Amino acid sequence: MTAGDPEQRAHGVSTSPATASPRVIEQRGLYFDELEEGVVYAHRPGRTVTETDNVIFTTMTMNTQALHLDAAWSAGQPFGQRLMNSMFTLATVVGQSVPQLTQGTIIAQLGLTDVSFPHPLYHGDTLYTETVITGKRLSSSRPGQGIVTMQHTGRNQDGAVVALAARSCLMWTREAHAAAEKETAQKESAGKETGQKETAEKRTI
């Protein structure tokens, strides 16, 4: 058979592999229907936190707490050194879960509850986060969307728990998200066509 043989085309054989576009796999989180209750999602890599992280985050958020900024004063306090800003720790714990769970599949974060910091996080520690899905239900008022609750646990390199937080998110189902993106693309295409038509009409005036 030749490269252009009808039988090849009928069986889906590419007749011009050099010009075929590669399949694209986009990194994303998990949809509502893919998340499993009770499963431990271990997020990697970990994040080694530094003095620079602490000082920049603390000053950016207008937090003048000496426990994060004043090494000499902190040396005389119960922990004997500066502590990482707990808001930085919380933000990093949530952030570490994003690529594996919610990247591109979340609609909105609904809230954080039961936040605690059982053990200090220090400069030079490495933070690792795990997430357990504790519940999920389809929304009664928003078709194609569901509410997911999750428990985040942050640990240092020795396994000590440094942060805990319960989080609830509004998530897409896979089918509904695909339909919404298709609808958006169609509207954008229609808008471009209308704009091109209006431009062409103005040129003829």
Side-chain angles (χ1 to χ4, degrees):
M1 291 186 293
T2 64
D5 194 299
E7 185 176 344
Q8 282 187 325
R9 293 197 296 271
H11 287 82
V13 178
S14 174
T15 58
S16 53
T19 59
S21 298
R23 190 162 64 98
V24 177
I25 300 177
E26 183 176 336
Q27 180 175 316
R28 64 167 174 84
L30 300 176
Y31 286 107
F32 175 87
D33 25 323
E34 296 173 314
L35 291 164
E36 298 181 48
E37 291 185 54
V39 171
V40 177
Y41 296 92
H43 313 305
R44 297 295 182 270
R47 173 67 154 82
T48 300
V49 299
T50 68
E51 178 183 14
T52 300
D53 294 329
N54 205 18
V55 172
I56 290 177
F57 184 90
T58 298
T59 53
M60 282 178 63
T61 53
M62 301 180 70
N63 184 339
T64 60
Q65 177 54 250
L67 274 173
H68 310 314
L69 299 173
D70 190 331
W73 182 83
S74 297
Q77 299 307 302
F79 293 107
Q81 59 179 296
R82 282 172 292 172
L83 309 179
M84 288 299 297
N85 188 317
S86 59
M87 295 296 98
F88 174 87
T89 303
L90 177 61
T92 305
V93 163
V94 172
Q96 286 181 313
S97 73
V98 169
Q100 190 174 12
L101 298 182
T102 62
Q103 178 65 52
T105 56
I106 192 175
I107 299 163
Q109 177 166 279
L110 301 178
L112 288 161
T113 60
D114 302 317
V115 176
S116 62
F117 305 98
H119 188 281
L121 192 65
Y122 301 113
H123 298 163
D125 280 349
T126 301
L127 178 61
Y128 295 95
T129 298
E130 297 174 351
T131 301
V132 175
I133 304 303
T134 55
K136 51 183 288 191
R137 65 175 178 82
L138 287 169
S139 171
S140 58
S141 60
R142 302 175 71 98
Q145 302 174 15
I147 296 171
V148 176
T149 55
M150 52 189 77
Q151 176 68 45
H152 297 306
T153 301
R155 304 176 190 273
N156 67 12
Q157 65 281 357
D158 300 318
V161 176
V162 298
L164 293 165
R167 182 175 172 223
S168 58
C169 301
L170 186 64
M171 305 286 294
W172 282 109
T173 63
R174 186 169 188 165
E175 184 178 351
H177 196 203
E181 289 189 323
K182 182 178 180 180
E183 182 180 355
T184 298
Q186 289 174 340
K187 287 180 179 178
E188 290 178 349
S189 178
K192 288 180 181 178
E193 290 178 3
T194 299
Q196 291 171 350
K197 182 178 180 181
E198 290 176 348
T199 300
E201 289 175 348
K202 288 179 181 178
R203 288 174 179 170
T204 60
I205 295 175

mmCIF file of all heavy atoms in Angstrom, residues 141-177:
data_model
loop_
_atom_site.group_PDB
_atom_site.id
_atom_site.type_symbol
_atom_site.label_atom_id
_atom_site.label_comp_id
_atom_site.label_asym_id
_atom_site.label_seq_id
_atom_site.Cartn_x
_atom_site.Cartn_y
_atom_site.Cartn_z
ATOM 1 N N SER A 141 -27.611 23.444 44.537
ATOM 2 C CA SER A 141 -28.013 24.660 43.829
ATOM 3 C C SER A 141 -27.145 24.991 42.616
ATOM 4 O O SER A 141 -27.490 25.867 41.829
ATOM 5 C CB SER A 141 -27.997 25.856 44.793
ATOM 6 O OG SER A 141 -26.698 26.037 45.325
ATOM 7 N N ARG A 142 -26.012 24.270 42.470
ATOM 8 C CA ARG A 142 -25.091 24.548 41.368
ATOM 9 C C ARG A 142 -24.782 23.244 40.629
ATOM 10 O O ARG A 142 -23.848 22.530 40.997
ATOM 11 C CB ARG A 142 -23.806 25.193 41.896
ATOM 12 C CG ARG A 142 -24.050 26.489 42.673
ATOM 13 C CD ARG A 142 -22.750 27.011 43.280
ATOM 14 N NE ARG A 142 -21.861 27.528 42.261
ATOM 15 C CZ ARG A 142 -21.742 28.820 41.933
ATOM 16 N NH1 ARG A 142 -22.495 29.720 42.551
ATOM 17 N NH2 ARG A 142 -20.909 29.212 41.016
ATOM 18 N N PRO A 143 -25.571 22.927 39.598
ATOM 19 C CA PRO A 143 -25.368 21.681 38.847
ATOM 20 C C PRO A 143 -23.948 21.572 38.297
ATOM 21 O O PRO A 143 -23.370 22.568 37.821
ATOM 22 C CB PRO A 143 -26.385 21.783 37.705
ATOM 23 C CG PRO A 143 -27.443 22.718 38.227
ATOM 24 C CD PRO A 143 -26.712 23.717 39.076
ATOM 25 N N GLY A 144 -23.387 20.374 38.383
ATOM 26 C CA GLY A 144 -22.042 20.162 37.855
ATOM 27 C C GLY A 144 -20.938 20.594 38.786
ATOM 28 O O GLY A 144 -19.761 20.574 38.410
ATOM 29 N N GLN A 145 -21.297 20.981 40.000
ATOM 30 C CA GLN A 145 -20.310 21.420 40.978
ATOM 31 C C GLN A 145 -20.549 20.696 42.305
ATOM 32 O O GLN A 145 -21.658 20.243 42.584
ATOM 33 C CB GLN A 145 -20.394 22.931 41.179
ATOM 34 C CG GLN A 145 -20.183 23.715 39.885
ATOM 35 C CD GLN A 145 -20.413 25.199 40.047
ATOM 36 O OE1 GLN A 145 -20.457 25.716 41.161
ATOM 37 N NE2 GLN A 145 -20.562 25.902 38.928
ATOM 38 N N GLY A 146 -19.495 20.583 43.101
ATOM 39 C CA GLY A 146 -19.630 19.891 44.371
ATOM 40 C C GLY A 146 -18.751 20.500 45.433
ATOM 41 O O GLY A 146 -17.766 21.189 45.141
ATOM 42 N N ILE A 147 -19.120 20.263 46.679
ATOM 43 C CA ILE A 147 -18.367 20.782 47.817
ATOM 44 C C ILE A 147 -17.501 19.664 48.386
ATOM 45 O O ILE A 147 -17.983 18.567 48.686
ATOM 46 C CB ILE A 147 -19.317 21.332 48.897
ATOM 47 C CG1 ILE A 147 -20.087 22.530 48.331
ATOM 48 C CG2 ILE A 147 -18.529 21.752 50.145
ATOM 49 C CD1 ILE A 147 -21.206 23.020 49.223
ATOM 50 N N VAL A 148 -16.212 19.956 48.520
ATOM 51 C CA VAL A 148 -15.246 18.987 49.027
ATOM 52 C C VAL A 148 -14.627 19.531 50.308
ATOM 53 O O VAL A 148 -14.232 20.698 50.362
ATOM 54 C CB VAL A 148 -14.129 18.709 47.995
ATOM 55 C CG1 VAL A 148 -13.079 17.772 48.565
ATOM 56 C CG2 VAL A 148 -14.717 18.136 46.717
ATOM 57 N N THR A 149 -14.559 18.708 51.342
ATOM 58 C CA THR A 149 -13.854 19.095 52.564
ATOM 59 C C THR A 149 -12.588 18.264 52.661
ATOM 60 O O THR A 149 -12.568 17.081 52.308
ATOM 61 C CB THR A 149 -14.726 18.884 53.809
ATOM 62 O OG1 THR A 149 -15.177 17.526 53.853
ATOM 63 C CG2 THR A 149 -15.929 19.811 53.799
ATOM 64 N N MET A 150 -11.540 18.900 53.124
ATOM 65 C CA MET A 150 -10.249 18.226 53.199
ATOM 66 C C MET A 150 -9.502 18.623 54.463
ATOM 67 O O MET A 150 -9.703 19.723 55.003
ATOM 68 C CB MET A 150 -9.419 18.522 51.943
ATOM 69 C CG MET A 150 -9.268 19.975 51.580
ATOM 70 S SD MET A 150 -8.488 20.230 49.954
ATOM 71 C CE MET A 150 -9.834 19.881 48.821
ATOM 72 N N GLN A 151 -8.648 17.732 54.926
ATOM 73 C CA GLN A 151 -7.822 17.985 56.103
ATOM 74 C C GLN A 151 -6.363 18.046 55.660
ATOM 75 O O GLN A 151 -5.816 17.066 55.145
ATOM 76 C CB GLN A 151 -8.000 16.874 57.146
ATOM 77 C CG GLN A 151 -7.099 16.996 58.370
ATOM 78 C CD GLN A 151 -7.462 18.197 59.237
ATOM 79 O OE1 GLN A 151 -8.635 18.442 59.499
ATOM 80 N NE2 GLN A 151 -6.459 18.945 59.686
ATOM 81 N N HIS A 152 -5.745 19.225 55.841
ATOM 82 C CA HIS A 152 -4.331 19.389 55.521
ATOM 83 C C HIS A 152 -3.488 19.167 56.776
ATOM 84 O O HIS A 152 -3.830 19.679 57.852
ATOM 85 C CB HIS A 152 -4.048 20.808 55.011
ATOM 86 C CG HIS A 152 -4.737 21.160 53.730
ATOM 87 N ND1 HIS A 152 -4.633 20.411 52.582
ATOM 88 C CD2 HIS A 152 -5.547 22.218 53.408
ATOM 89 C CE1 HIS A 152 -5.330 20.981 51.615
ATOM 90 N NE2 HIS A 152 -5.896 22.075 52.091
ATOM 91 N N THR A 153 -2.395 18.450 56.642
ATOM 92 C CA THR A 153 -1.450 18.260 57.735
ATOM 93 C C THR A 153 -0.050 18.580 57.239
ATOM 94 O O THR A 153 0.420 17.980 56.264
ATOM 95 C CB THR A 153 -1.470 16.800 58.249
ATOM 96 O OG1 THR A 153 -2.788 16.476 58.694
ATOM 97 C CG2 THR A 153 -0.498 16.625 59.412
ATOM 98 N N GLY A 154 0.600 19.549 57.896
ATOM 99 C CA GLY A 154 1.967 19.907 57.551
ATOM 100 C C GLY A 154 2.934 19.333 58.576
ATOM 101 O O GLY A 154 2.690 19.439 59.782
ATOM 102 N N ARG A 155 4.009 18.729 58.111
ATOM 103 C CA ARG A 155 5.016 18.149 59.008
ATOM 104 C C ARG A 155 6.400 18.662 58.634
ATOM 105 O O ARG A 155 6.650 18.985 57.470
ATOM 106 C CB ARG A 155 5.016 16.618 58.904
ATOM 107 C CG ARG A 155 3.676 15.957 59.176
ATOM 108 C CD ARG A 155 3.765 14.440 58.956
ATOM 109 N NE ARG A 155 2.448 13.816 58.987
ATOM 110 C CZ ARG A 155 1.850 13.403 60.098
ATOM 111 N NH1 ARG A 155 2.476 13.520 61.265
ATOM 112 N NH2 ARG A 155 0.645 12.852 60.058
ATOM 113 N N ASN A 156 7.288 18.691 59.630
ATOM 114 C CA ASN A 156 8.671 19.051 59.317
ATOM 115 C C ASN A 156 9.442 17.801 58.905
ATOM 116 O O ASN A 156 8.878 16.700 58.815
ATOM 117 C CB ASN A 156 9.331 19.785 60.490
ATOM 118 C CG ASN A 156 9.536 18.894 61.712
ATOM 119 O OD1 ASN A 156 9.395 17.662 61.659
ATOM 120 N ND2 ASN A 156 9.878 19.506 62.836
ATOM 121 N N GLN A 157 10.721 17.965 58.656
ATOM 122 C CA GLN A 157 11.550 16.864 58.156
ATOM 123 C C GLN A 157 11.662 15.700 59.141
ATOM 124 O O GLN A 157 12.001 14.574 58.751
ATOM 125 C CB GLN A 157 12.951 17.378 57.798
ATOM 126 C CG GLN A 157 13.778 17.885 58.972
ATOM 127 C CD GLN A 157 13.406 19.293 59.418
ATOM 128 O OE1 GLN A 157 12.545 19.947 58.823
ATOM 129 N NE2 GLN A 157 14.070 19.783 60.453
ATOM 130 N N ASP A 158 11.346 15.946 60.406
ATOM 131 C CA ASP A 158 11.399 14.886 61.415
ATOM 132 C C ASP A 158 10.043 14.230 61.648
ATOM 133 O O ASP A 158 9.903 13.350 62.501
ATOM 134 C CB ASP A 158 11.920 15.455 62.738
ATOM 135 C CG ASP A 158 13.325 16.043 62.596
ATOM 136 O OD1 ASP A 158 14.157 15.404 61.913
ATOM 137 O OD2 ASP A 158 13.583 17.129 63.150
ATOM 138 N N GLY A 159 9.023 14.699 60.920
ATOM 139 C CA GLY A 159 7.695 14.123 61.060
ATOM 140 C C GLY A 159 6.815 14.808 62.091
ATOM 141 O O GLY A 159 5.656 14.415 62.270
ATOM 142 N N ALA A 160 7.328 15.829 62.760
ATOM 143 C CA ALA A 160 6.530 16.551 63.748
ATOM 144 C C ALA A 160 5.466 17.383 63.041
ATOM 145 O O ALA A 160 5.757 18.070 62.050
ATOM 146 C CB ALA A 160 7.420 17.460 64.598
ATOM 147 N N VAL A 161 4.234 17.338 63.538
ATOM 148 C CA VAL A 161 3.146 18.106 62.942
ATOM 149 C C VAL A 161 3.305 19.580 63.299
ATOM 150 O O VAL A 161 3.326 19.944 64.477
ATOM 151 C CB VAL A 161 1.777 17.590 63.422
ATOM 152 C CG1 VAL A 161 0.653 18.461 62.865
ATOM 153 C CG2 VAL A 161 1.574 16.142 62.991
ATOM 154 N N VAL A 162 3.416 20.426 62.284
ATOM 155 C CA VAL A 162 3.605 21.864 62.506
ATOM 156 C C VAL A 162 2.379 22.682 62.123
ATOM 157 O O VAL A 162 2.288 23.861 62.469
ATOM 158 C CB VAL A 162 4.843 22.388 61.743
ATOM 159 C CG1 VAL A 162 6.118 21.719 62.240
ATOM 160 C CG2 VAL A 162 4.681 22.180 60.227
ATOM 161 N N ALA A 163 1.435 22.076 61.395
ATOM 162 C CA ALA A 163 0.228 22.803 60.994
ATOM 163 C C ALA A 163 -0.900 21.834 60.671
ATOM 164 O O ALA A 163 -0.679 20.776 60.078
ATOM 165 C CB ALA A 163 0.511 23.686 59.781
ATOM 166 N N LEU A 164 -2.112 22.231 61.070
ATOM 167 C CA LEU A 164 -3.327 21.488 60.749
ATOM 168 C C LEU A 164 -4.381 22.474 60.280
ATOM 169 O O LEU A 164 -4.488 23.578 60.827
ATOM 170 C CB LEU A 164 -3.851 20.743 61.983
ATOM 171 C CG LEU A 164 -3.006 19.599 62.537
ATOM 172 C CD1 LEU A 164 -3.482 19.225 63.934
ATOM 173 C CD2 LEU A 164 -3.070 18.388 61.611
ATOM 174 N N ALA A 165 -5.157 22.093 59.278
ATOM 175 C CA ALA A 165 -6.232 22.974 58.801
ATOM 176 C C ALA A 165 -7.279 22.166 58.067
ATOM 177 O O ALA A 165 -6.954 21.297 57.248
ATOM 178 C CB ALA A 165 -5.673 24.053 57.887
ATOM 179 N N ALA A 166 -8.553 22.441 58.357
ATOM 180 C CA ALA A 166 -9.667 21.865 57.603
ATOM 181 C C ALA A 166 -10.068 22.888 56.554
ATOM 182 O O ALA A 166 -10.177 24.083 56.848
ATOM 183 C CB ALA A 166 -10.828 21.539 58.527
ATOM 184 N N ARG A 167 -10.307 22.440 55.355
ATOM 185 C CA ARG A 167 -10.574 23.353 54.233
ATOM 186 C C ARG A 167 -11.759 22.853 53.429
ATOM 187 O O ARG A 167 -11.922 21.650 53.239
ATOM 188 C CB ARG A 167 -9.325 23.428 53.355
ATOM 189 C CG ARG A 167 -9.395 24.359 52.163
ATOM 190 C CD ARG A 167 -8.033 24.390 51.500
ATOM 191 N NE ARG A 167 -8.021 25.102 50.244
ATOM 192 C CZ ARG A 167 -7.382 24.681 49.149
ATOM 193 N NH1 ARG A 167 -6.712 23.546 49.180
ATOM 194 N NH2 ARG A 167 -7.409 25.388 48.046
ATOM 195 N N SER A 168 -12.573 23.758 52.961
ATOM 196 C CA SER A 168 -13.689 23.385 52.087
ATOM 197 C C SER A 168 -13.574 24.155 50.775
ATOM 198 O O SER A 168 -13.233 25.349 50.766
ATOM 199 C CB SER A 168 -15.034 23.664 52.755
ATOM 200 O OG SER A 168 -15.162 25.020 53.108
ATOM 201 N N CYS A 169 -13.853 23.455 49.678
ATOM 202 C CA CYS A 169 -13.707 24.038 48.344
ATOM 203 C C CYS A 169 -14.909 23.674 47.476
ATOM 204 O O CYS A 169 -15.498 22.600 47.627
ATOM 205 C CB CYS A 169 -12.446 23.509 47.655
ATOM 206 S SG CYS A 169 -10.909 23.839 48.526
ATOM 207 N N LEU A 170 -15.252 24.582 46.571
ATOM 208 C CA LEU A 170 -16.256 24.303 45.558
ATOM 209 C C LEU A 170 -15.508 23.841 44.319
ATOM 210 O O LEU A 170 -14.665 24.566 43.786
ATOM 211 C CB LEU A 170 -17.078 25.561 45.253
ATOM 212 C CG LEU A 170 -18.260 25.401 44.302
ATOM 213 C CD1 LEU A 170 -19.310 24.472 44.902
ATOM 214 C CD2 LEU A 170 -18.884 26.773 43.990
ATOM 215 N N MET A 171 -15.815 22.606 43.856
ATOM 216 C CA MET A 171 -15.047 21.988 42.787
ATOM 217 C C MET A 171 -15.929 21.662 41.587
ATOM 218 O O MET A 171 -17.121 21.393 41.721
ATOM 219 C CB MET A 171 -14.407 20.684 43.301
ATOM 220 C CG MET A 171 -13.564 20.833 44.547
ATOM 221 S SD MET A 171 -11.968 21.617 44.237
ATOM 222 C CE MET A 171 -11.163 20.381 43.225
ATOM 223 N N TRP A 172 -15.306 21.654 40.423
ATOM 224 C CA TRP A 172 -15.985 21.244 39.197
ATOM 225 C C TRP A 172 -16.079 19.729 39.116
ATOM 226 O O TRP A 172 -15.173 19.019 39.559
ATOM 227 C CB TRP A 172 -15.212 21.692 37.961
ATOM 228 C CG TRP A 172 -15.321 23.114 37.562
ATOM 229 C CD1 TRP A 172 -14.343 24.066 37.656
ATOM 230 C CD2 TRP A 172 -16.435 23.753 36.933
ATOM 231 N NE1 TRP A 172 -14.795 25.258 37.148
ATOM 232 C CE2 TRP A 172 -16.076 25.097 36.697
ATOM 233 C CE3 TRP A 172 -17.710 23.312 36.561
ATOM 234 C CZ2 TRP A 172 -16.938 26.005 36.100
ATOM 235 C CZ3 TRP A 172 -18.570 24.221 35.966
ATOM 236 C CH2 TRP A 172 -18.187 25.542 35.742
ATOM 237 N N THR A 173 -17.147 19.216 38.480
ATOM 238 C CA THR A 173 -17.118 17.851 37.974
ATOM 239 C C THR A 173 -16.458 17.954 36.595
ATOM 240 O O THR A 173 -16.473 19.009 35.956
ATOM 241 C CB THR A 173 -18.525 17.244 37.830
ATOM 242 O OG1 THR A 173 -19.269 18.005 36.874
ATOM 243 C CG2 THR A 173 -19.258 17.227 39.163
ATOM 244 N N ARG A 174 -15.883 16.866 36.161
ATOM 245 C CA ARG A 174 -15.129 16.907 34.906
ATOM 246 C C ARG A 174 -16.021 17.260 33.715
ATOM 247 O O ARG A 174 -15.680 18.095 32.889
ATOM 248 C CB ARG A 174 -14.456 15.550 34.678
ATOM 249 C CG ARG A 174 -13.540 15.515 33.478
ATOM 250 C CD ARG A 174 -12.713 14.251 33.476
ATOM 251 N NE ARG A 174 -11.704 14.287 32.441
ATOM 252 C CZ ARG A 174 -10.663 13.462 32.379
ATOM 253 N NH1 ARG A 174 -10.513 12.549 33.321
ATOM 254 N NH2 ARG A 174 -9.788 13.544 31.404
ATOM 255 N N GLU A 175 -17.183 16.616 33.632
ATOM 256 C CA GLU A 175 -18.084 16.831 32.500
ATOM 257 C C GLU A 175 -18.594 18.266 32.455
ATOM 258 O O GLU A 175 -18.638 18.897 31.386
ATOM 259 C CB GLU A 175 -19.258 15.855 32.591
ATOM 260 C CG GLU A 175 -20.205 15.926 31.400
ATOM 261 C CD GLU A 175 -21.334 14.909 31.489
ATOM 262 O OE1 GLU A 175 -21.295 14.044 32.385
ATOM 263 O OE2 GLU A 175 -22.254 14.984 30.648
ATOM 264 N N ALA A 176 -18.978 18.800 33.617
ATOM 265 C CA ALA A 176 -19.510 20.165 33.659
ATOM 266 C C ALA A 176 -18.446 21.190 33.295
ATOM 267 O O ALA A 176 -18.737 22.192 32.631
ATOM 268 C CB ALA A 176 -20.073 20.459 35.045
ATOM 269 N N HIS A 177 -17.216 20.958 33.736
ATOM 270 C CA HIS A 177 -16.148 21.905 33.414
ATOM 271 C C HIS A 177 -15.865 21.915 31.922
ATOM 272 O O HIS A 177 -15.666 22.982 31.321
ATOM 273 C CB HIS A 177 -14.875 21.554 34.194
ATOM 274 C CG HIS A 177 -13.876 22.656 34.211
ATOM 275 N ND1 HIS A 177 -12.535 22.442 34.425
ATOM 276 C CD2 HIS A 177 -14.015 24.004 34.050
ATOM 277 C CE1 HIS A 177 -11.890 23.594 34.386
ATOM 278 N NE2 HIS A 177 -12.768 24.560 34.164
#
